[in-house]
Amino acid sequence: MTVLPILTIPDDRLKQASETVSGFDDSLRRFVEQLELTRQHGPGAVGIAAPQVGHFQRIAIVDCSNTRKPVPNHGNLVLINPEITHWDGYEVGREGCLSVPDYTGNVIRATHIKLKAQDVHGDEHEYEMEGYEARAVQHEIDHLDGILFIDRVVSRRTDLFKRKVYR
């Protein structure tokens, strides 16, 4: 199995909204395995969304369990057709992205979310998330809607930063 190439800005396909997944078969599971391999290969990537590899279905993977600081998390999550059903609070935080390799930026996100999503078998699950994991999930869902974090920075002049090293 090979690592998939990541689309990066200014590729217009990153602005494309993704389609709902309706078939939960072996080809979906194989794609999710390949997407996870690609996420693991990315430097410090806690999440990846299918559109980042040119696959325009509502599929994202988030795993905040291996961050430098321990944070509340649900481990490795495959989120298919994710939908935020409730959000509360807000906080500014720094974000980076495999598809925007040269920059990081300050983005306002909800601090607490409730989420429903399906797994690779089509079973629906509900989650409550907070902090860093909630931020990561919101970031990945944005990819499914054709939105990048640089579209959400308050000011490109004061809240977007040139990345010094990407590892």
Side-chain angles (χ1 to χ4, degrees), residues 64-102:
C64 296
S65 62
N66 291 322
T67 59
R68 292 180 198 172
K69 297 178 191 174
V71 296
N73 71 85
H74 292 86
N76 187 290
L77 292 175
V78 175
L79 304 171
I80 299 176
N81 302 324
E83 179 185 342
I84 296 172
T85 58
H86 179 80
W87 56 90
D88 190 32
Y90 68 90
E91 183 176 66
V92 174
R94 184 73 64 94
E95 296 184 17
C97 182
L98 295 171
S99 292
V100 187
D102 297 329

Short mmCIF file of all heavy atoms in Angstrom, two decimals, residues 64-102:
data_model
loop_
_atom_site.label_atom_id
_atom_site.label_comp_id
_atom_site.label_asym_id
_atom_site.label_seq_id
_atom_site.Cartn_x
_atom_site.Cartn_y
_atom_site.Cartn_z
N CYS A 64 -5.74 12.25 18.11
CA CYS A 64 -5.01 13.18 18.99
C CYS A 64 -4.31 12.45 20.13
O CYS A 64 -3.84 13.08 21.07
CB CYS A 64 -5.97 14.23 19.55
SG CYS A 64 -6.68 15.29 18.30
N SER A 65 -4.22 11.12 20.04
CA SER A 65 -3.65 10.35 21.15
C SER A 65 -2.13 10.42 21.23
O SER A 65 -1.56 10.08 22.26
CB SER A 65 -4.10 8.89 21.07
OG SER A 65 -3.63 8.28 19.88
N ASN A 66 -1.48 10.87 20.18
CA ASN A 66 -0.01 10.91 20.19
C ASN A 66 0.54 12.33 20.17
O ASN A 66 1.64 12.56 19.69
CB ASN A 66 0.55 10.14 18.98
CG ASN A 66 0.30 8.66 19.12
OD1 ASN A 66 0.40 8.11 20.20
ND2 ASN A 66 -0.04 8.01 18.02
N THR A 67 -0.23 13.29 20.68
CA THR A 67 0.26 14.66 20.74
C THR A 67 1.29 14.81 21.85
O THR A 67 1.37 13.98 22.75
CB THR A 67 -0.91 15.65 20.98
OG1 THR A 67 -1.54 15.32 22.20
CG2 THR A 67 -1.90 15.61 19.84
N ARG A 68 2.08 15.87 21.77
CA ARG A 68 3.14 16.09 22.76
C ARG A 68 2.59 16.21 24.17
O ARG A 68 3.16 15.71 25.12
CB ARG A 68 3.93 17.35 22.42
CG ARG A 68 4.74 17.20 21.17
CD ARG A 68 5.49 18.47 20.88
NE ARG A 68 5.90 18.44 19.47
CZ ARG A 68 6.44 19.45 18.87
NH1 ARG A 68 6.66 20.57 19.51
NH2 ARG A 68 6.78 19.35 17.61
N LYS A 69 1.49 16.93 24.31
CA LYS A 69 0.83 17.07 25.60
C LYS A 69 -0.40 16.17 25.59
O LYS A 69 -1.18 16.22 24.64
CB LYS A 69 0.39 18.51 25.84
CG LYS A 69 1.52 19.50 25.90
CD LYS A 69 0.93 20.89 26.09
CE LYS A 69 1.98 21.94 25.90
NZ LYS A 69 1.42 23.29 25.92
N PRO A 70 -0.61 15.38 26.63
CA PRO A 70 -1.82 14.55 26.67
C PRO A 70 -3.07 15.43 26.67
O PRO A 70 -3.14 16.42 27.39
CB PRO A 70 -1.71 13.77 27.98
CG PRO A 70 -0.31 13.97 28.46
CD PRO A 70 0.24 15.19 27.81
N VAL A 71 -4.02 15.12 25.82
CA VAL A 71 -5.28 15.86 25.75
C VAL A 71 -6.42 14.85 25.77
O VAL A 71 -6.26 13.71 25.34
CB VAL A 71 -5.37 16.72 24.47
CG1 VAL A 71 -4.31 17.81 24.46
CG2 VAL A 71 -5.26 15.88 23.21
N PRO A 72 -7.59 15.25 26.28
CA PRO A 72 -8.74 14.35 26.22
C PRO A 72 -9.04 14.00 24.77
O PRO A 72 -9.10 14.89 23.91
CB PRO A 72 -9.88 15.18 26.82
CG PRO A 72 -9.22 16.27 27.59
CD PRO A 72 -7.91 16.53 26.91
N ASN A 73 -9.18 12.70 24.47
CA ASN A 73 -9.45 12.30 23.09
C ASN A 73 -10.09 10.93 23.03
O ASN A 73 -10.08 10.19 24.01
CB ASN A 73 -8.16 12.34 22.26
CG ASN A 73 -7.19 11.26 22.62
OD1 ASN A 73 -7.29 10.14 22.13
ND2 ASN A 73 -6.24 11.56 23.51
N HIS A 74 -10.61 10.61 21.87
CA HIS A 74 -11.27 9.32 21.62
C HIS A 74 -10.37 8.35 20.86
O HIS A 74 -10.85 7.36 20.32
CB HIS A 74 -12.56 9.55 20.83
CG HIS A 74 -13.61 10.28 21.60
ND1 HIS A 74 -13.67 11.66 21.67
CD2 HIS A 74 -14.62 9.82 22.36
CE1 HIS A 74 -14.69 12.01 22.43
NE2 HIS A 74 -15.30 10.91 22.86
N GLY A 75 -9.08 8.64 20.77
CA GLY A 75 -8.17 7.77 20.03
C GLY A 75 -8.29 8.00 18.54
O GLY A 75 -8.65 9.07 18.08
N ASN A 76 -8.01 6.96 17.77
CA ASN A 76 -8.04 7.05 16.32
C ASN A 76 -9.48 6.93 15.84
O ASN A 76 -10.12 5.90 16.02
CB ASN A 76 -7.16 5.95 15.71
CG ASN A 76 -7.01 6.10 14.23
OD1 ASN A 76 -7.96 5.90 13.48
ND2 ASN A 76 -5.82 6.46 13.79
N LEU A 77 -9.97 8.00 15.24
CA LEU A 77 -11.36 8.03 14.78
C LEU A 77 -11.43 8.13 13.27
O LEU A 77 -10.82 9.02 12.67
CB LEU A 77 -12.09 9.25 15.36
CG LEU A 77 -12.34 9.27 16.85
CD1 LEU A 77 -12.95 10.62 17.25
CD2 LEU A 77 -13.26 8.13 17.25
N VAL A 78 -12.17 7.24 12.66
CA VAL A 78 -12.52 7.35 11.25
C VAL A 78 -13.93 7.92 11.24
O VAL A 78 -14.86 7.32 11.77
CB VAL A 78 -12.47 5.99 10.53
CG1 VAL A 78 -12.97 6.13 9.10
CG2 VAL A 78 -11.07 5.42 10.58
N LEU A 79 -14.07 9.12 10.67
CA LEU A 79 -15.34 9.83 10.67
C LEU A 79 -15.88 9.89 9.25
O LEU A 79 -15.31 10.56 8.39
CB LEU A 79 -15.14 11.24 11.23
CG LEU A 79 -14.51 11.31 12.62
CD1 LEU A 79 -14.16 12.75 12.97
CD2 LEU A 79 -15.45 10.71 13.66
N ILE A 80 -16.96 9.19 9.01
CA ILE A 80 -17.58 9.18 7.69
C ILE A 80 -18.92 9.92 7.80
O ILE A 80 -19.71 9.66 8.71
CB ILE A 80 -17.76 7.74 7.18
CG1 ILE A 80 -16.37 7.09 7.08
CG2 ILE A 80 -18.49 7.72 5.84
CD1 ILE A 80 -16.37 5.64 6.67
N ASN A 81 -19.12 10.85 6.89
CA ASN A 81 -20.31 11.71 6.90
C ASN A 81 -20.48 12.42 8.25
O ASN A 81 -21.57 12.45 8.81
CB ASN A 81 -21.57 10.92 6.54
CG ASN A 81 -21.48 10.26 5.19
OD1 ASN A 81 -20.90 10.81 4.26
ND2 ASN A 81 -22.03 9.07 5.06
N PRO A 82 -19.40 13.01 8.79
CA PRO A 82 -19.50 13.66 10.10
C PRO A 82 -20.36 14.91 10.05
O PRO A 82 -20.40 15.62 9.04
CB PRO A 82 -18.04 14.02 10.43
CG PRO A 82 -17.40 14.20 9.10
CD PRO A 82 -18.07 13.20 8.19
N GLU A 83 -21.06 15.14 11.15
CA GLU A 83 -21.91 16.33 11.28
C GLU A 83 -21.83 16.83 12.71
O GLU A 83 -22.08 16.07 13.65
CB GLU A 83 -23.34 15.95 10.91
CG GLU A 83 -24.32 17.09 11.02
CD GLU A 83 -25.76 16.65 10.76
OE1 GLU A 83 -25.98 15.57 10.18
OE2 GLU A 83 -26.66 17.40 11.17
N ILE A 84 -21.49 18.09 12.86
CA ILE A 84 -21.50 18.70 14.19
C ILE A 84 -22.94 19.06 14.51
O ILE A 84 -23.60 19.78 13.77
CB ILE A 84 -20.58 19.94 14.23
CG1 ILE A 84 -19.13 19.52 13.98
CG2 ILE A 84 -20.73 20.67 15.57
CD1 ILE A 84 -18.16 20.66 13.82
N THR A 85 -23.43 18.53 15.63
CA THR A 85 -24.83 18.76 16.01
C THR A 85 -24.97 19.85 17.07
O THR A 85 -26.06 20.36 17.28
CB THR A 85 -25.46 17.45 16.54
OG1 THR A 85 -24.70 16.97 17.66
CG2 THR A 85 -25.49 16.39 15.44
N HIS A 86 -23.87 20.19 17.74
CA HIS A 86 -23.90 21.24 18.76
C HIS A 86 -22.48 21.74 18.97
O HIS A 86 -21.53 20.96 18.93
CB HIS A 86 -24.46 20.69 20.08
CG HIS A 86 -24.50 21.70 21.17
ND1 HIS A 86 -25.47 22.65 21.28
CD2 HIS A 86 -23.66 21.92 22.21
CE1 HIS A 86 -25.24 23.42 22.33
NE2 HIS A 86 -24.14 22.98 22.92
N TRP A 87 -22.34 23.03 19.20
CA TRP A 87 -21.05 23.59 19.54
C TRP A 87 -21.24 24.65 20.61
O TRP A 87 -22.31 25.25 20.72
CB TRP A 87 -20.30 24.14 18.33
CG TRP A 87 -21.03 25.16 17.54
CD1 TRP A 87 -21.02 26.51 17.71
CD2 TRP A 87 -21.90 24.92 16.46
NE1 TRP A 87 -21.83 27.12 16.81
CE2 TRP A 87 -22.39 26.17 16.01
CE3 TRP A 87 -22.33 23.77 15.81
CZ2 TRP A 87 -23.28 26.29 14.96
CZ3 TRP A 87 -23.22 23.90 14.75
CH2 TRP A 87 -23.67 25.14 14.34
N ASP A 88 -20.19 24.86 21.39
CA ASP A 88 -20.28 25.80 22.50
C ASP A 88 -18.89 26.39 22.76
O ASP A 88 -17.87 25.70 22.59
CB ASP A 88 -20.78 25.08 23.75
CG ASP A 88 -21.13 26.03 24.88
OD1 ASP A 88 -21.56 27.16 24.60
OD2 ASP A 88 -20.95 25.64 26.04
N GLY A 89 -18.86 27.63 23.19
CA GLY A 89 -17.61 28.30 23.52
C GLY A 89 -16.79 28.59 22.29
O GLY A 89 -17.10 28.13 21.19
N TYR A 90 -15.76 29.38 22.46
CA TYR A 90 -14.83 29.62 21.36
C TYR A 90 -13.47 29.98 21.92
O TYR A 90 -13.33 30.45 23.04
CB TYR A 90 -15.34 30.70 20.41
CG TYR A 90 -15.37 32.09 20.99
CD1 TYR A 90 -14.27 32.93 20.87
CD2 TYR A 90 -16.48 32.55 21.67
CE1 TYR A 90 -14.28 34.20 21.42
CE2 TYR A 90 -16.50 33.82 22.22
CZ TYR A 90 -15.40 34.64 22.09
OH TYR A 90 -15.41 35.90 22.63
N GLU A 91 -12.46 29.71 21.09
CA GLU A 91 -11.09 29.97 21.49
C GLU A 91 -10.25 30.14 20.23
O GLU A 91 -10.47 29.46 19.24
CB GLU A 91 -10.59 28.78 22.31
CG GLU A 91 -9.20 28.93 22.86
CD GLU A 91 -8.84 27.74 23.74
OE1 GLU A 91 -8.73 26.62 23.21
OE2 GLU A 91 -8.69 27.95 24.96
N VAL A 92 -9.28 31.03 20.31
CA VAL A 92 -8.33 31.20 19.22
C VAL A 92 -7.19 30.22 19.45
O VAL A 92 -6.70 30.07 20.57
CB VAL A 92 -7.77 32.64 19.18
CG1 VAL A 92 -6.68 32.78 18.14
CG2 VAL A 92 -8.88 33.63 18.93
N GLY A 93 -6.77 29.53 18.40
CA GLY A 93 -5.66 28.59 18.50
C GLY A 93 -4.89 28.51 17.20
O GLY A 93 -5.44 28.80 16.12
N ARG A 94 -3.64 28.10 17.29
CA ARG A 94 -2.77 27.98 16.11
C ARG A 94 -3.05 26.67 15.41
O ARG A 94 -3.15 25.62 16.05
CB ARG A 94 -1.31 28.06 16.57
CG ARG A 94 -0.28 28.05 15.47
CD ARG A 94 -0.18 29.35 14.68
NE ARG A 94 0.24 30.48 15.44
CZ ARG A 94 1.48 30.92 15.56
NH1 ARG A 94 2.47 30.31 14.94
NH2 ARG A 94 1.74 31.98 16.28
N GLU A 95 -3.15 26.71 14.09
CA GLU A 95 -3.37 25.52 13.28
C GLU A 95 -2.38 25.46 12.13
O GLU A 95 -1.92 26.49 11.65
CB GLU A 95 -4.80 25.51 12.70
CG GLU A 95 -5.87 25.42 13.77
CD GLU A 95 -7.27 25.30 13.21
OE1 GLU A 95 -7.44 24.97 12.01
OE2 GLU A 95 -8.21 25.54 13.98
N GLY A 96 -2.08 24.25 11.72
CA GLY A 96 -1.29 23.99 10.54
C GLY A 96 -2.02 22.95 9.71
O GLY A 96 -3.04 22.42 10.14
N CYS A 97 -1.48 22.65 8.53
CA CYS A 97 -2.21 21.75 7.63
C CYS A 97 -1.24 21.15 6.62
O CYS A 97 -0.37 21.85 6.10
CB CYS A 97 -3.30 22.54 6.92
SG CYS A 97 -4.32 21.56 5.81
N LEU A 98 -1.43 19.87 6.32
CA LEU A 98 -0.62 19.22 5.29
C LEU A 98 -0.81 19.89 3.93
O LEU A 98 0.11 19.91 3.11
CB LEU A 98 -1.00 17.73 5.18
CG LEU A 98 -0.70 16.85 6.39
CD1 LEU A 98 -1.34 15.48 6.20
CD2 LEU A 98 0.78 16.75 6.62
N SER A 99 -1.99 20.46 3.69
CA SER A 99 -2.27 21.10 2.40
C SER A 99 -1.80 22.55 2.34
O SER A 99 -1.87 23.18 1.28
CB SER A 99 -3.77 21.03 2.10
OG SER A 99 -4.16 19.70 1.87
N VAL A 100 -1.35 23.08 3.47
CA VAL A 100 -0.80 24.44 3.54
C VAL A 100 0.54 24.33 4.26
O VAL A 100 0.69 24.74 5.40
CB VAL A 100 -1.76 25.39 4.29
CG1 VAL A 100 -1.26 26.84 4.22
CG2 VAL A 100 -3.18 25.29 3.74
N PRO A 101 1.52 23.70 3.61
CA PRO A 101 2.75 23.33 4.30
C PRO A 101 3.64 24.49 4.75
O PRO A 101 4.46 24.30 5.65
CB PRO A 101 3.49 22.46 3.28
CG PRO A 101 2.95 22.89 1.96
CD PRO A 101 1.53 23.27 2.21
N ASP A 102 3.48 25.66 4.20
CA ASP A 102 4.40 26.76 4.50
C ASP A 102 3.89 27.74 5.55
O ASP A 102 4.60 28.68 5.90
CB ASP A 102 4.72 27.54 3.22
CG ASP A 102 5.44 26.67 2.20
OD1 ASP A 102 6.18 25.75 2.62
OD2 ASP A 102 5.26 26.89 0.99
#
